[in-house]
Amino acid sequence: MTILVTGGLGYIGSHTVVELLQNNFQVIIVDDMSNSEKFILDNIEKIGGKRPVFFPFDLRRKELLSQVFDAYEIDGCIHFAAYKAVGESQEKPLDYYENNLFSLINVLQEFKARNISNFIFSSSCTVYGQADKQPIDENTLLKMPESSYGKTKQMGEEILKDYAIAYQKKVSLLRYFNPIGSHPTALLGELPIGVPNNLVPYVTQTASGIREKLSIWGNDYETPDGTAVRDYIYVVDLAKAHVKALQKLMNEKSETLIDVYNLGTGKGSSVLEVVEAFETANEVKVPYQICERRAGDITIAYANPDKAERELGWKADTSLEEALRTTWEWQKYLQTKN
Ligand code: NAD
Ligand code: WQD
């Protein structure tokens, strides 16, 4: 089976490509390297034992995309390619709508034209906004996200539902909670470009001295220690869920299918708990200061991941500390590279 992985050199994509290779899928990557680097391809090969076919172009270039489909018989797609910075999406909404939606539509047009099914979409817990109750299951009402980025995820889901119904296709919408960590080999991880917005890259860079101090955005939330709570999922566990979701789509007899899964651990951790777990796992200190709340942040979000366990036979079982240990190894690897 040959799988197109868009954004396959990115953070979650690269880990998923390794899992696909280890499960004997052929992989074709399209990635324009707008948020990734070529050495990741070499590292994927080192871990996975095979070099995926790689095309470095922007998915908005329809003619190039069409040529890939002409050249290879593709059986499915995992679509990671998107811009993902929440704050930047507020400053450049058109760039986000254009990239995230047109890239998706272009791949779907090829799928429709060539009658290919099996499409997996990287969605996000951001589609739930501040849910009325925790943990969040898949039936929870979706609220309009605050950011343009979040809206592209909600719109992407709607496009895929219409597409699946109109053209009798199988799709899987995977709503990730907060992915963290790196590959145990320390050869893959999240590439920090500029000042990180996300918690774990900021913690890691603070521990290594690149940043002076972590700012904890608010300790007056209604949570046990006052800091906000999220569901941090280890990226390798997350990558494995994609293989399971793909296998389920491929084995499904019905022509039309819309699967929706929350991918999280089911456990909420506060910002302070993450800092402490990082310090314990790596025996390093993370200096921090308490600041005002960050605009747009919600108090608490963690998944009910039971549906994924029941239907995919998948469960995230790596501990927070273990995930944070791999992050630190990746940081050290990046420093040896520079
Ligand atoms: P990433 O930026 O590391 O990976 C995305 C990859 O897509 C990058 O390598 C980038 O170069 C590529 N890309 C972007 N636009 C492209 C285009 N037009 N054509 C070709 N390649 C393009 O991001 P990630 O963290 O691996 O996220 C992967 C997906 O998961 C995204 O869709 C993101 O929105 C979603 N997601 C991420 C998180 C998270 O916290 N990391 C959480 C929920 C959902
Ligand atoms: C986690 C917690 C911050 C940085 C974002 C996107 C979401 C999804 C995952 C893609 C919050 C606190 C953070 C810092 C802090 N991505 N924090 N100091 O906001 O839950 O979700 O990534 O789909 O759409 O919005 O993740 O890592 O930014 O923050 O105190 O320097 O850490 O306030 O409580 P978030 P995050």
Side-chain angles (χ1 to χ4, degrees):
M1 289 290 175
T2 301
I3 306 303
L4 172 66
V5 182
T6 73
L9 293 192
Y11 174 42
I12 307 167
S14 57
H15 288 83
T16 304
V17 168
V18 164
E19 295 299 321
L20 287 169
L21 293 175
Q22 289 173 343
N23 282 276
N24 296 316
F25 287 95
Q26 307 295 321
V27 176
I28 298 171
I29 295 174
V30 175
D31 194 310
D32 65 357
M33 293 188 282
S34 54
N35 199 29
S36 49
E37 290 183 31
K38 188 73 184 290
F39 79 88
I40 294 293
L41 188 64
D42 301 329
N43 289 2
I44 287 173
E45 185 180 4
K46 280 184 201 151
I47 307 168
K50 255 180 287 175
R51 195 173 183 83
V53 178
F54 172 52
F55 294 101
F57 67 81
D58 186 326
L59 288 163
R60 285 169 287 182
R61 299 190 60 187
K62 286 171 96 153
E63 68 297 348
L64 294 181
L65 185 60
S66 221
Q67 286 170 20
V68 175
F69 281 84
D70 286 341
Y72 294 89
E73 202 163 304
I74 290 171
D75 301 293
C77 173
I78 308 183
H79 181 63
F80 293 102
Y83 293 155
K84 64 161 180 177
V86 173
E88 186 186 61
S89 79
Q90 297 301 86
E91 288 151 30
K92 302 177 181 170
L94 286 182
D95 291 358
Y96 272 67
Y97 288 120
E98 183 184 304
N99 190 33
N100 293 6
L101 299 180
F102 289 174
S103 294
L104 169 66
I105 291 167
N106 289 349
V107 184
L108 293 180
Q109 289 285 18
E110 291 296 334
F111 264 49
K112 174 183 141 269
R114 295 163 198 264
N115 199 21
I116 312 171
S117 204
N118 308 319
F119 192 95
I120 295 188
F121 179 62
S122 294
S123 189
S124 166
C125 62
T126 194
V127 299
Y128 295 114
Q130 178 61 79
D132 294 330
K133 72 174 178 46
Q134 303 289 331
I136 301 171
D137 68 26
E138 290 81 355
N139 296 321
T140 303
L141 188 75
L142 303 191
K143 292 190 180 159
M144 185 55 84
E146 290 212 4
S147 71
S148 300
Y149 163 75
K151 288 175 193 163
T152 70
K153 290 294 161 190
Q154 246 185 33
M155 290 176 193
E157 288 199 1
E158 293 307 315
I159 290 169
L160 277 157
K161 288 181 203 161
D162 289 352
Y163 156 87
I165 291 165
Y167 308 117
Q168 289 98 52
K169 299 288 185 204
K170 295 183 274 182
V171 304
S172 196
L173 313 178
L174 302 183
R175 296 176 180 157
Y176 316 153
F177 279 66
N178 291 54
I180 59 162
S182 309
H183 199 268
T185 57
L187 291 171
L188 302 176
E190 190 164 11
L191 282 179
I193 296 178
V195 181
N197 282 309
N198 292 120
L199 177 63
V200 171
Y202 208 104
V203 166
T204 312
Q205 291 196 359
T206 305
S208 74
I210 300 171
R211 312 277 157 211
E212 197 191 331
K213 236 184 239 171
L214 168 74
S215 297
I216 294 186
W217 306 125
N219 69 347
D220 56 353
Y221 285 103
E222 277 182 45
T223 59
D225 65 22
T227 63
V229 168
R230 299 287 185 275
D231 185 338
Y232 296 92
I233 174 169
Y234 181 46
V235 67
V236 176
D237 289 340
L238 184 60
K240 288 181 199 291
H242 290 75
V243 177
K244 299 275 192 186
L246 183 63
Q247 286 165 337
K248 177 170 183 288
L249 287 188
M250 288 182 154
N251 291 331
E252 184 64 48
K253 299 262 181 320
S254 68
E255 285 195 323
T256 307
L257 181 70
I258 303 168
D259 274 342
V260 183
Y261 295 108
N262 280 348
L263 300 179
T265 65
K267 183 176 175 295
S269 303
S270 73
V271 178
L272 277 173
E273 282 171 338
V274 171
V275 171
E276 279 159 23
F278 188 94
E279 290 183 331
T280 309
N282 301 309
E283 296 177 357
V284 282
K285 284 310 261 181
V286 181
Y288 67 81
Q289 60 188 345
I290 305 290
C291 300
E292 292 292 306
R293 292 181 182 194
R294 183 171 71 176
D297 269 351
I298 55 175
T299 304
I300 179 162
Y302 63 98
N304 176 341
D306 291 353
K307 187 176 175 216
E309 183 172 4
R310 214 167 45 241
E311 296 186 8
L312 301 178
W314 170 89
K315 195 173 174 356
D317 46 21
T318 305
S319 70
L320 181 61
E321 280 189 17
E322 179 55 20
L324 293 170
R325 202 190 55 71
T326 63
T327 295
W328 188 231
E329 292 306 315
W330 168 245
Q331 178 65 31
K332 289 193 259 181
Y333 171 77
L334 284 180
Q335 277 164 337
T336 62
K337 273 187 73 61
N338 293 331

